[in-house]
Amino acid sequence: QVQLVESGGGLVQAGGSLSLSCVTSGRFASIDAMGWYRQAPGKQRELVAGITSGGNTNYSDSVKGRCTISRDNAKRMVNLQMNSLKPEDTAVYYCNARVRIRSFSVPQDYWGQGTQVTVSS
């Protein structure tokens, strides 16, 4: 059973910073890409930032320059540092990991339970 547990959400004023963390646990061979997604009320879930096993990153245009994604493969952890937060960043943030249960199995997507980020104006 693969589990992802997020932490670090909360309430912050506009212009402030938050750091999100996600730890992956369970029995599996490896983790390919990891990422952070968010879903605001009434909107679809969208990618915020992603990072490959080799450390290549990509960001949505809405957060580029304000967020930094990183991962610690030994700790099976992915982090998201968010700066200069805006009210429109308010959403539930979900951690995603693309996991191979066995070395040559097809990678499967796993999700955390989500953590609320609220940015007040």
Side-chain angles (χ1 to χ4, degrees):
Q1 183 81 10
V2 178
Q3 289 187 320
L4 281 70
V5 178
E6 301 115 334
S7 61
L11 173 64
V12 65
Q13 287 188 332
S17 299
L18 276 178
S19 180
L20 306 182
S21 294
C22 172
V23 177
T24 307
S25 62
R27 297 190 66 175
F28 52 86
S30 63
I31 303 174
D32 289 0
M34 303 186 80
W36 288 94
Y37 290 71
R38 68 186 181 187
Q39 187 167 18
K43 295 188 176 181
Q44 289 189 332
R45 189 174 298 189
E46 62 175 359
L47 174 70
V48 177
I51 184 167
T52 67
S53 57
N56 293 319
T57 60
N58 65 291
Y59 298 91
S60 69
D61 288 342
S62 62
V63 304
K64 199 171 292 183
R66 299 190 294 120
C67 292
T68 302
I69 189 170
S70 61
R71 65 188 281 175
D72 185 327
N73 291 327
K75 295 181 179 179
R76 300 174 167 183
M77 177 183 292
V78 63
N79 303 303
L80 183 69
Q81 177 66 40
M82 302 186 292
N83 301 319
S84 302
L85 283 162
K86 305 175 182 180
E88 51 264 43
D89 293 317
T90 295
V92 177
Y93 284 68
Y94 296 91
C95 173
N96 168 266
R98 188 153 290 181
V99 176
R100 295 180 189 266
I101 300 299
R102 296 181 180 82
S103 295
F104 298 101
S105 63
V106 175
Q108 301 176 29
D109 282 319
Y110 291 87
W111 296 89
Q113 79 285 357
T115 185
Q116 177 70 45
V117 171
T118 303
V119 185
S120 63
S121 57

